[in-house]
Amino acid sequence: MQKDNSNRTKDNKKVLNISLVVAVLMVGFGFALVPLYDIICDITGLNGKTGVMAASDVKEQDVGHTVTVQFDGTVNSNLPWSFRPKQFSMEVIPGKLYSTEYIAKNISEEDVTGQAVPSVAPNEASIYFSKTECFCFTEQLLTSGEEKQMPVTFIVSSDLPKDIEVLTLSYTFFNKNRMTTAQQAEGNAKHEKI
């Protein structure tokens, strides 16, 4: 009987050790999914990810072709800000550098730090949209009642397929202090790539 208990204890320890290893591997795999997802999105243009281009790399081309870029801005329900584009659309020539601004205002009685997460629609066009400067590259602190103009400088690649005539650049601002761990990981991963 004692041998059975001894064998059972060994078996239980073995099952416990295997379970712990599996649990650790699952947690590790969960954390690895964020960068893997990011890499897949960068390669395929999924999830509206955009690229980054240096202003010196801009080459003006195809002056006869224009594209409409629409601008959209929203805030997460945990962020007591108003946020909107200064202009809602712009006709752009692919290959040429453009600038626009968004306006954010903290409507709370506290200082709040926000983080913008960008996306471009349609998804297949996102790989042709690059930002050279953007407020989304860093966290933004607005004091109580403060209003700030937030510039973005961008270029639509001259390689954009001719059948894509309208792009939408959208930002969602999140309250950095109240972001969940998953939202922070997603936002950080996107900003490292954008």
Side-chain angles (χ1 to χ4, degrees), residues 10-157:
K10 286 180 185 178
D11 288 343
N12 286 344
K13 284 182 180 180
K14 188 176 181 181
V15 169
L16 177 64
N17 288 337
I18 291 171
S19 298
L20 288 174
V21 168
V22 168
V24 168
L25 289 174
M26 288 173 56
V27 169
F29 182 70
F31 280 103
L33 281 178
V34 173
L36 289 173
Y37 175 76
D38 233 20
I39 291 168
I40 291 169
C41 288
D42 285 343
I43 292 169
T44 63
L46 291 174
N47 199 27
K49 291 191 145 221
T50 64
V52 176
M53 179 181 283
S56 60
D57 294 337
V58 174
K59 300 174 199 162
E60 190 172 332
Q61 296 178 6
D62 201 4
V63 281
H65 179 229
T66 62
V67 176
T68 302
V69 177
Q70 299 173 333
F71 304 102
D72 182 40
T74 59
V75 292
N76 178 274
S77 61
N78 289 329
L79 183 66
W81 288 8
S82 64
F83 177 66
R84 64 177 175 78
K86 195 169 186 178
Q87 65 187 90
F88 294 99
S89 69
M90 175 187 294
E91 290 293 317
V92 303
I93 298 169
K96 188 174 177 183
L97 197 62
Y98 289 89
S99 293
T100 189
E101 291 182 334
Y102 282 73
I103 301 168
K105 182 174 183 176
N106 181 350
I107 54 177
S108 75
E109 294 183 11
E110 299 175 357
D111 298 353
V112 180
T113 300
Q115 178 69 59
V117 177
S119 68
V120 171
N123 283 336
E124 62 271 14
S126 62
I127 59 175
Y128 302 101
F129 191 98
S130 297
K131 295 183 291 299
T132 59
E133 293 180 39
C134 184
F135 57 88
C136 65
F137 294 160
T138 59
E139 297 174 359
Q140 300 294 322
L141 171 65
L142 292 181
T143 59
S144 176
E146 180 182 7
E147 182 173 289
K148 187 187 282 187
Q149 297 199 15
M150 300 182 173
V152 59
T153 304
F154 66 92
I155 182 169
V156 176
S157 171

